[in-house]
């Protein structure tokens, strides 16, 4: 049985939390995030920590979820989240142009990817970019959408991949043996 919901959440200085109906507004140096608070879950501030409490065991499944979402929001508005991506392939590259990123990924046309609000994309080299922002879910979603533009090919290992992602290279089709082997 998980005890994640009972773990304390450190509340750094500069972070303000307010209840707004069925959600919590978490304000910090990197922005404001809204976290839904399920019915039957309350929060308390104690000595620089936050504690989430549930009314009954009927709300046990949402207890740990609410705690994780709130902890991620606090971490996001203080330090933020990053997801680095690598582009592998001859001629494959990315270029930042205003509020969009232009990808050249071996197609007959360049791909324009608009950067959503609340996300920052930095192109450190033409083949390495970093997606960052305060919302963990949005950072992961944008990184997955960029990766889906040209997923890694298991035969040639070309494409867009997460930094550190390990791929299993598959062996290609073997050439037929010389001398007419297999003919009857």
């Amino acid at each position: 049985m998980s005890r994640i919901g009972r773990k304390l959440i450190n509340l750094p200085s500069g972070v303000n939390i307010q209840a707004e109906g069925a959600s919590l507004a978490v304000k910090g140096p990197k922005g404001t995030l809204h976290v839904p608070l399920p019915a039957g879950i309350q929060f308390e501030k104690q000595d620089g920590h936050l504690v989430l409490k549930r009314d009954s065991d009927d709300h046990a499944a949402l207890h740990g979820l609410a705690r994780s979402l709130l902890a991620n929001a606090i971490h996001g508005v203080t330090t933020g989240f990053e997801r680095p991506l690598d582009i592998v392939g001859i001629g494959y590259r990315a270029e930042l142009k205003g509020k969009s990123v232009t990808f050249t990924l071996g197609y007959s046309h360049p791909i324009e990817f608009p950067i959503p609000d609340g996300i920052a994309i930095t192109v450190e080299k033409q083949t390495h970019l970093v997606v960052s922002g305060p919302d963990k879910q949005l950072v992961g979603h944008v990184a997955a959408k960029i990766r889906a533009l040209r997923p890694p090919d298991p035969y040639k290992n070309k494409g867009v991949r997460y930094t550190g992602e390990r791929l299993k290279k598959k062996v290609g089709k073997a050439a037929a043996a010389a001398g007419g082997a297999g003919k009857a």
Side-chain angles (χ1 to χ4, degrees), residues 24-178:
L24 298 174
V26 181
K27 294 180 184 177
K30 294 207 179 246
T32 302
L33 294 176
H34 295 279
V35 179
L37 193 63
I41 308 287
Q42 290 84 28
F43 79 101
E44 294 178 3
K45 295 179 185 178
Q46 297 176 352
D47 303 329
H49 297 292
L50 282 179
V51 179
L52 289 178
K53 296 189 177 187
R54 62 182 185 231
D55 291 341
S56 67
D57 287 340
D58 295 337
H59 305 291
L62 297 174
H63 191 198
L65 172 70
R67 188 249 177 229
S68 293
L69 291 175
L70 186 57
N72 285 340
I74 291 171
H75 184 270
V77 298
T78 54
T79 58
F81 292 98
E82 288 186 347
R83 191 70 168 152
L85 295 161
D86 288 326
I87 302 171
V88 179
I90 296 174
Y92 290 12
R93 62 184 170 273
E95 184 180 351
L96 192 62
K97 291 184 180 177
K99 288 291 288 175
S100 67
V101 181
T102 303
F103 291 97
T104 305
L105 298 174
Y107 297 116
S108 62
H109 59 283
I111 300 169
E112 293 283 330
F113 185 84
I115 300 172
D117 292 334
I119 293 293
I121 297 178
T122 57
V123 179
E124 295 173 357
K125 294 185 269 180
Q126 288 184 337
T127 59
H128 182 76
L129 57 127
V130 178
V131 179
S132 60
D135 190 355
K136 185 176 185 178
Q137 183 177 356
L138 187 59
V139 167
H141 181 69
V142 170
K145 284 173 70 174
I146 291 174
R147 183 181 182 273
L149 295 175
R150 177 68 96 169
D153 180 23
Y155 296 101
K156 298 177 184 175
N157 277 345
K158 294 173 18 176
V160 181
R161 65 178 78 162
Y162 300 121
T163 300
E165 180 179 4
R166 306 228 352 129
L167 298 175
K168 261 191 180 170
K169 186 164 169 48
K170 292 184 178 179
V171 179
K173 188 165 135 181

